[in-house]
Amino acid sequence: AGQPRQVINPEVTFTLDRADLSKAADPLTAARQRAGALASRPFALEKPPLLRAGYFALGDGTAVFALAMHHIVIDGWSVPLFFEALWRAYEGETLPSPNLHFADYASVAATRLGSGMEVDRAFWHAALMPPAPHLELPCDFVRDQTASKHAGWVSREVSGEALRQARAFAAARNITLFQLFLSALQVVLARITGQSDISMAVIVSGRDLPETATMLGLFANTVIIRQTVRSADTVETHLG
């Protein structure tokens, strides 16, 4: 088998999808449909650019601008950086050429991984093997065993007083709010499932180098946090 390598194209052709939808029965709905089609069309990773955009005129000087990018070229941190640069260019500003590109970061990362890969591999193998069992969450329906991206979203508003108390609790133990809430969630999951081996996936920025703070690209990574939670644990005892 060959070795993967990066190929940087000297030029990439980009075409903006433009359409005048002002004569449509419902221009905004038509624009949303065009934007949805633009976003749902699969990308071919070997065919750059992994970005597509559409400009759909609605009439009366209004328009919808739609943008779709493959996750392999951008992460959540990069999105506001991208739109800031796009807005500055739209305003007529000449953007400076970046001092560093993602290819530079990739080269540094490859060197760092090569020097410590076996140590890292041994650490994660010890931490994650054997794999933790699936969490058997109590449901009022039979769970589908087929993997799916469909999910729900639940939000709760935390009062200012509760947040103040959480911050004080965390500060007294020299931990962050993230550590506090992660530990609380682990304790809750252990109680409702009756399981003690709890693993959770946490997204990290991956931007350890200061130079990466203003760079566009996919730096994010997923880290598995695996903890043993005793049946009698409270958040405080679980934190130790």
Side-chain angles (χ1 to χ4, degrees), residues 27-39:
L28 182 57
T29 298
R32 286 173 174 165
Q33 292 173 344
R34 290 286 293 262
L38 179 145

Side-chain angles (χ1 to χ4, degrees), residues 136-153:
E136 298 297 335
L137 295 171
C139 300
D140 57 359
F141 57 90
V142 178
R143 296 180 66 184
D144 191 347
Q145 297 302 308
T146 304
S148 171
K149 294 182 180 179
H150 297 296
W153 180 275

Side-chain angles (χ1 to χ4, degrees), residues 49-198:
L50 300 182
L51 173 153
R52 61 176 71 106
Y55 179 88
F56 309 122
L58 306 181
D60 297 326
T62 61
V64 168
F65 177 70
L67 183 68
M69 289 178 277
H70 196 286
H71 200 355
I72 202 172
V73 297
I74 195 165
D75 57 17
W77 184 301
S78 299
V79 171
L81 300 176
F82 177 87
F83 279 104
E84 179 187 0
L86 181 65
W87 180 253
R88 289 167 59 189
Y90 180 76
E91 291 287 290
E93 184 177 341
T94 300
L95 301 180
S97 298
N99 295 324
L100 293 173
H101 296 82
F102 189 83
D104 301 310
Y105 164 79
S107 177
V108 173
T111 301
R112 292 172 64 185
L113 284 174
S115 62
M117 176 64 81
E118 292 308 316
V119 174
D120 289 345
R121 191 194 307 276
F123 171 83
W124 287 109
H125 188 276
L128 302 179
M129 297 299 290
H134 291 293
L135 280 180
E136 298 297 335
L137 295 171
C139 300
D140 57 359
F141 57 90
V142 178
R143 296 180 66 184
D144 191 347
Q145 297 302 308
T146 304
S148 171
K149 294 182 180 179
H150 297 296
W153 180 275
V154 178
S155 63
R156 291 290 185 270
E157 189 170 311
V158 178
S159 69
E161 176 58 22
L163 184 58
R164 186 195 66 77
Q165 292 180 14
R167 284 176 171 155
F169 183 93
R173 290 155 183 81
N174 197 30
I175 61 173
T176 64
L177 276 178
F178 172 78
Q179 290 172 293
L180 173 59
F181 291 140
L182 178 66
S183 297
L185 182 55
Q186 289 172 330
V187 169
V188 169
L189 289 174
R191 286 185 180 180
I192 64 177
T193 62
Q195 297 170 240
S196 59
D197 190 350
I198 308 295

